Amino acid sequence: MSTGTVRDAAFEVLRRTGMTTIFGNPGSTEIPLLAGLPEDLRFVLALHEGSVVGMATGWALAGRGPALTVLHTTAGLGNAVSAIATARVNRAPLVVLVGQQDRRHLALEPFLAGRLHGLAGEYPVWTDQPVRAQDVPGAIARAAHEAVTGRGPAIVIVPMDDWSAPWDGTVEAAPAAVLRPAAVADEEIAPLAALLAQAEDPVLVAGAGADSPAGWAALTELAERLGCPVWQEAFGARAGFPQDHPQFAGVLPADRGGQRRALKGHDVVLAVGAPVFRHYPYDPGPLVEPGTRIAVVSDDPAEVHRSPAELAVLADPAAVCARLARLIPAARRRREVAGPDRRAVPPPAPGAPLRAVHVLQELARRLPPETVVIEEAPSSRADLHRLLPARRPLGFLSAAMGGLGFALPAVAGLRMALPERPVVAVVGDGSAIYGIQALWSAAHYRIGALIVVLANGRYAIMDRLAERHAGGPGAARVPWPAFPEVSLSAMARSFGCPAIRIDTHDRLVAVLDEIVPDLASRTEPLLLDIGVAPDAEFHP
C-alpha cells in the first residue's frame, strides 16, 4: 500500500505473515495501535504479561507460525521476561511488540518512557527500535523471519506516535518470504553415517528439536535400522520420539553419574534435536564412560556450538535422520530395551490419601493417544514421564527453562490453536498460582482445556531438594511454610473457570469417567483441584 498510516501498513504485514491473532494486556502506549482494531484481527486478552507470552508460546508451538504479542513499555516487558526466557528455550517463534512513549519527547524521559533495550537480557533472538516511524512495518516483517529462523522471541519497540505517522510507501527492510530448504546431501553427512555404521552398540538421545511428524518418522526409522535404545533428553520441552515404542528407554537421568550408568556400554551416542547434555544438579565427572564417542544433530546453532561432541551436524534433524536411515546398514541384532516401568500401583486404601501417582495412573488409563499433555508438576515429573508417554508429535510439552507459570497460559494457547486435539495440563498447585490469571482468558474465550492440579499445599519440590541437600528425609528445616489454605478451585471460579474439588479415589475415577470421553469437544475449561499427599521421594 502507498497511502494511509504506519498502522495501516503494519496491519498489512500482520495479514501477510499470518499474525492475525494478537495476545496482549494493553497499556496506554498501545492504545494508538489497538483502538478500533480491524475485525479480521483478533485480540486475546490475558490478565498478566506472563500469561500473554505463555499463551502466545502455546499458540506458536502448535505450529501456527510466529505468534504476536503486545506488551506495555517497561512494566509489561519486565513482567514478561521470565516467560520470554521460557519461549526462547522452548524454541517458540514470537514477535513481541513493546509500546514506548511518544517519540517526540523521549529525550525528556517522560512518564512511562522505558529503557527497553536489554531489559529482557539475551533471551530475545533479535531486538529493534526502528529509527523512523516508517520503518516499523518492515521491522515487524523482519521480526517474523528472525523469530522463525532464531527459534525464539523477536522484539520490536514502537513509540506510540509512530502508528499515526503517514505511510509513504517506503521499502520494507525485510523479504516477503524466506526459504529454508531442508535437503541434506549424502556427502555432507558421510562422516556421521560412517561413525554409526562402525558402531557396535549405538544409542540415540532424542530432544525437543525432533518433535514433529517428520522428526518422529525419521528418528523411528533410524532407531529401528540401528536396533538401538532411544532415550529422551532430560528437562526436554517436548518429546522427540514416540514414548510407547518398544525401543524407548525412558528419560535420561539429569545428573552425570546417572547418565553415565544409563549410557554405559554404548560406543556411540547420537543426540538428535538436543544439546549434549542438560543436567541438574551439578555432578562432577565426564559425560560418558571412556571410549564412548558423542555426536549431535540439531538445527539450533547455539545447541550445536556448546555441545562437547566429537562430531556435530547443524541441519534439520528430520532430514538428517531420514538420510542416515538409508545410508547405514541394518543392525545385525536388536538390543533388548527394558523401557520405563509402567506397572500399576494399587489404589489407596480406604481412608488413605490420594497421591500424584494415583491421579496420573487414572489419567493414563483414559487419555486418548492424540492428547497434548502439558507438565508443570516438578515433584511428580518422574511419575508423569513414566505413566503418560507421548504417543503423538506434540504429545508432551514442558517449560524447558524451569520457571513456573508456563502451563496454564500455554494450555490455553495450545487448545485455541488446536481445537481438534484434547489438551490437558498437569500442574502442581504451587506452579498453578504463578499463571492463575490465564484461567480468565481460558474461560472468557471458551477454551476447552482440562487443567489437573495436584494440590499438596506446599512447594514439595523445594522440600525434597532441601532434604537431599541436608542428607535425607526429615534432615532439613525449611524456612518456607506450607499453604494448605490456598484453594485453587475457588481461585479458578473467581476467574470464571469451572472447577471441581476432588479428595478421594472414587470421586477421581467418577469425574474422569465423565469428562475424559468428551475432552476433544469441550467448549469451556475445567479445573480439577485434586488433594494429594506430598511425594516422599524426588527423582530429577
Side-chain angles (χ1 to χ4, degrees):
M1 62 181 296
S2 58
T3 60
T5 64
V6 165
R7 179 176 182 261
D8 296 327
F11 288 157
E12 288 301 315
V13 170
L14 299 186
R15 296 180 180 108
R16 188 176 74 232
T17 55
M19 296 189 296
T20 55
T21 295
I22 304 169
F23 297 90
N25 180 267
S28 56
T29 54
E30 293 73 60
I31 293 298
L33 169 66
L34 298 174
L37 197 67
E39 291 186 359
D40 64 323
L41 302 179
R42 177 171 60 158
F43 184 84
V44 176
L45 176 65
L47 302 187
H48 183 272
E49 289 82 2
S51 295
V52 169
V53 175
M55 291 177 70
T57 298
W59 175 274
L61 290 176
R64 290 301 191 99
L68 179 63
T69 71
V70 175
L71 302 178
H72 174 52
T73 190
T74 308
L77 181 57
N79 284 345
V81 168
S82 177
I84 287 172
T86 293
R88 174 65 182 272
V89 181
N90 276 29
R91 301 174 165 212
L94 307 184
V95 173
V96 182
L97 298 184
V98 182
Q100 175 64 292
Q101 247 286 5
D102 193 301
R103 185 187 291 269
R104 294 167 293 186
H105 67 159
L106 274 177
L108 300 176
E109 295 197 18
F111 179 67
L112 291 180
R115 298 183 181 182
L116 302 173
H117 273 283
L119 182 57
E122 297 182 0
Y123 292 115
V125 298
W126 186 72
T127 302
D128 185 44
Q129 179 174 321
V131 176
R132 304 183 308 145
Q134 288 72 23
D135 293 329
V136 168
I140 295 172
R142 177 176 173 180
H145 298 319
E146 295 282 355
V148 172
T149 301
R151 296 167 294 275
I155 292 178
V156 181
I157 302 164
V158 186
M160 61 192 298
D161 59 312
D162 282 10
W163 300 113
S164 59
W167 174 247
D168 58 6
T170 190
V171 175
E172 292 180 9
V178 174
L179 301 178
R180 300 174 179 85
V184 176
D186 291 353
E187 61 271 17
E188 294 177 329
I189 60 171
L192 181 56
L195 179 66
L196 289 173
Q198 296 163 8
E200 293 291 332
D201 197 351
V203 62
L204 300 178
V205 177
D211 185 24
S212 68
W216 276 40
L219 201 53
T220 299
E221 185 179 6
L222 179 60
E224 292 176 348
R225 187 79 171 166
L226 292 170
C228 70
V230 182
W231 290 89
Q232 172 70 34
E233 67 167 328
F235 302 113
R238 297 161 70 168
F241 185 80
Q243 295 180 347
D244 57 347
H245 192 282
Q247 287 173 240
F248 181 64
V251 177
L252 201 62
D255 62 294
R256 292 189 186 183
Q259 178 182 285
R260 286 194 298 272
R261 290 188 291 274
L263 301 178
K264 186 177 181 179
H266 297 287
D267 54 346
V268 172
V269 178
L270 174 60
V272 180
V276 179
F277 292 100
R278 300 188 79 197
H279 296 127
Y280 184 84
Y282 172 71
D283 187 15
L287 298 179
V288 292
E289 295 288 344
T292 299
R293 306 168 75 182
I294 300 175
V296 60
V297 176
S298 175
D299 60 358
D300 185 333
E303 281 188 352
V304 166
H305 296 163
R306 72 173 184 268
S307 292
E310 176 182 328
L311 181 61
V313 177
L314 179 57
D316 175 51
V320 172
C321 289
R323 291 308 306 153
L324 286 173
R326 288 159 175 77
L327 290 174
I328 60 175
R332 293 185 296 273
R333 63 181 180 88
R334 185 182 300 273
R335 179 167 176 149
E336 293 296 323
V337 179
D341 181 4
R342 305 196 201 278
R343 288 176 297 178
V345 298
L354 277 170
R355 293 193 175 273
V357 67
H358 298 128
V359 180
L360 297 170
Q361 184 168 271
E362 297 302 335
L363 283 172
R365 289 169 173 166
R366 292 165 177 80
L367 294 181
E370 65 274 15
T371 304
V372 182
V373 175
I374 302 176
E375 176 272 323
E376 197 170 35
S379 63
S380 303
R381 181 178 293 131
D383 283 329
L384 186 144
H385 281 313
R386 182 172 61 84
L387 295 171
L388 285 173
R391 293 172 284 174
R392 298 287 187 275
L394 197 59
F396 170 81
L397 181 62
S398 185
M401 189 62 195
L404 301 181
F406 169 74
L408 296 193
V411 77
L414 267 165
R415 174 66 177 184
M416 186 181 292
L418 298 174
E420 73 283 0
R421 290 184 70 172
V423 180
V424 177
V426 179
V427 195
D429 50 353
S431 300
I433 292 169
Y434 277 79
I436 197 71
Q437 303 92 343
L439 293 181
W440 180 89
S441 300
H444 182 82
Y445 295 102
R446 299 187 63 80
I447 297 169
L450 176 65
I451 299 102
V452 177
V453 178
L454 304 175
N456 54 36
R458 67 195 68 223
Y459 292 126
I461 183 67
M462 299 301 296
D463 295 345
R464 300 293 84 79
L465 287 171
E467 290 173 351
R468 173 175 292 189
H469 180 75
R477 185 186 66 81
V478 297
W480 50 85
F483 41 88
E485 64 272 46
V486 174
S487 170
L488 268 296
S489 50
M491 294 174 74
R493 294 187 195 102
S494 75
F495 284 108
C497 175
I500 300 173
R501 174 67 183 185
I502 297 173
D503 288 297
T504 68
H505 189 263
D506 289 344
R507 177 67 169 151
L508 171 68
V509 168
V511 170
L512 292 180
D513 281 343
E514 178 183 353
I515 64 175
V516 169
D518 298 323
L519 276 183
S521 59
R522 285 196 68 86
T523 56
E524 66 176 2
L526 176 63
L527 183 142
L528 304 184
D529 181 10
I530 306 176
V532 297
D535 290 326
E537 297 181 1
F538 162 61
H539 303 283

